[in-house]
Amino acid sequence: MSMAATMCCRSNSSPPPWHVVVLLAGHLDPETLAMASCVCKSWFLCMSSDHLWKPICNSQFPSLSSLQVHAADSAVSYRHLYALARISARRRLQKPPKPRLSLANLIFTIDVHNEDDSCIFNVVKPGAELNTDADGVFRFDIDVDDENLWAVEDLDVLKITWNMVLEGFKGMFTMMDYCKGKGSFLPRTDGWFSAELPSPGCCSSLSGSGFAADLRLGLRRKGGKGGKMTVAMVGVGVLSVVSWRYVSIEDSMRYLEHFLLPL
């Protein structure tokens, strides 16, 4: 039981002398001090005094001292500023909510176009059938069956369209739209395509989303030396433009739900 509660629960004893309450207040931690200020009006006046809360603010949130000086309302107390700082600190540490979307709700559709916009091939893959990365990042490799290897002649002219379709065709979001890539037909070289993703509607379009869609065409030569270059694998992912690392599946789902689910 806290010191404040102990002092108030002794109904048979007389209230402690006022100077004792004032003396004890200086030795209470912020949580107990806040609780004690709720006992009665006189305790509130005592426990809310700036001379008690100013040292606490200076030690735990030093920036609040300058904030109090520049406050437009001179009546803003250090107790109130401390409460604001505690709420702000908790919000910074608060974990984001679980995404409402999951891979099982999505269908990956990828179209590869030639320079004349004719579709060379397309890939359709339900998210539930993808093998997830051990680290839980949004990065997936979609293998192509040997019987369906697609031959490509010039990687530099290829254009990629990648759409995420919500199950039941209830929504669609375009990750890449006729995106061009760079690469070569050197052995074991992949074709890379990337496009920065737009910011969600709740954020400024000037700042960007901080995410980029990443797509890779895994190439191999069919029939040995002299054979045609074919696409044997399609890899997709979402990168952070800050660290250039793949972001987690949960972060990607939280981003996609802005475009695929109703507010």
Side-chain angles (χ1 to χ4, degrees):
M1 184 179 294
S2 66
M3 184 182 300
T6 301
M7 294 173 67
C8 292
C9 288
R10 296 175 178 174
S11 57
N12 296 328
S13 60
S14 59
W18 184 248
H19 67 276
V20 174
V21 175
V22 175
L23 180 63
L24 289 175
H27 298 278
L28 299 179
D29 60 81
E31 288 75 13
T32 306
L33 196 60
M35 292 173 59
S37 67
C38 299
V39 171
C40 59
K41 290 183 179 180
S42 59
W43 279 44
F44 175 81
L45 294 174
C46 175
M47 305 299 179
S48 300
S49 174
D50 274 355
H51 85 273
L52 293 174
W53 287 97
K54 184 176 180 179
I56 297 174
C57 288
N58 289 341
S59 63
Q60 297 191 24
F61 305 104
S63 62
L64 293 182
S65 297
S66 59
L67 182 62
Q68 204 274 349
V69 172
H70 295 288
D73 185 357
S74 58
V76 176
S77 66
Y78 278 96
R79 178 180 182 272
H80 181 66
L81 289 177
Y82 178 85
L84 292 178
R86 280 294 303 272
I87 294 173
S88 175
R90 288 178 180 177
R91 286 176 177 172
R92 285 179 60 87
L93 299 176
Q94 186 177 8
K95 293 183 179 180
K98 287 287 186 181
R100 294 178 291 160
L101 273 180
S102 68
L103 286 176
N105 302 132
L106 301 175
I107 301 173
F108 292 61
T109 67
I110 300 151
D111 298 309
V112 180
H113 302 266
N114 215 331
E115 59 183 335
D116 59 359
D117 292 340
S118 61
C119 185
I120 302 175
F121 65 87
N122 69 308
V123 176
V124 178
K125 189 74 170 179
E129 298 179 7
L130 294 172
N131 295 320
T132 57
D133 187 277
D135 296 326
V137 297
F138 194 92
R139 180 184 182 279
F140 311 102
D141 291 337
I142 304 172
D143 293 325
V144 177
D145 296 335
D146 289 339
E147 296 180 357
N148 297 317
L149 294 179
W150 296 294
V152 291
E153 297 179 359
D154 189 354
L155 188 64
D156 293 333
V157 302
L158 295 184
K159 291 177 285 187
I160 301 291
T161 298
W162 170 16
N163 289 309
M164 301 294 292
V165 180
L166 185 61
E167 60 181 347
F169 295 90
K170 298 176 183 177
M172 185 182 76
F173 175 64
T174 301
M175 306 284 284
M176 291 183 181
D177 190 17
Y178 285 91
C179 177
K180 291 185 177 181
K182 294 183 179 180
S184 64
F185 283 139
L186 296 175
R188 298 182 181 180
T189 298
D190 296 336
W192 292 89
F193 302 79
S194 64
E196 187 171 358
L197 294 170
S199 63
C202 61
C203 304
S204 170
S205 59
L206 298 177
S207 61
S209 66
F211 291 162
D214 171 77
L215 187 142
R216 178 168 51 96
L217 298 179
L219 305 175
R220 83 180 190 195
R221 195 173 296 280
K222 186 177 182 180
K225 188 176 182 180
K228 293 183 177 181
M229 292 300 297
T230 59
V231 178
M233 181 273 296
V234 179
V236 294
V238 174
L239 290 165
S240 165
V241 298
V242 177
S243 63
W244 289 111
R245 295 178 180 272
Y246 290 100
V247 303
S248 69
I249 293 176
E250 286 197 354
D251 285 343
S252 300
M253 294 297 105
R254 273 187 285 266
Y255 171 78
L256 289 172
E257 67 185 26
H258 284 284
F259 302 94
L260 294 173
L261 296 179
L263 298 176

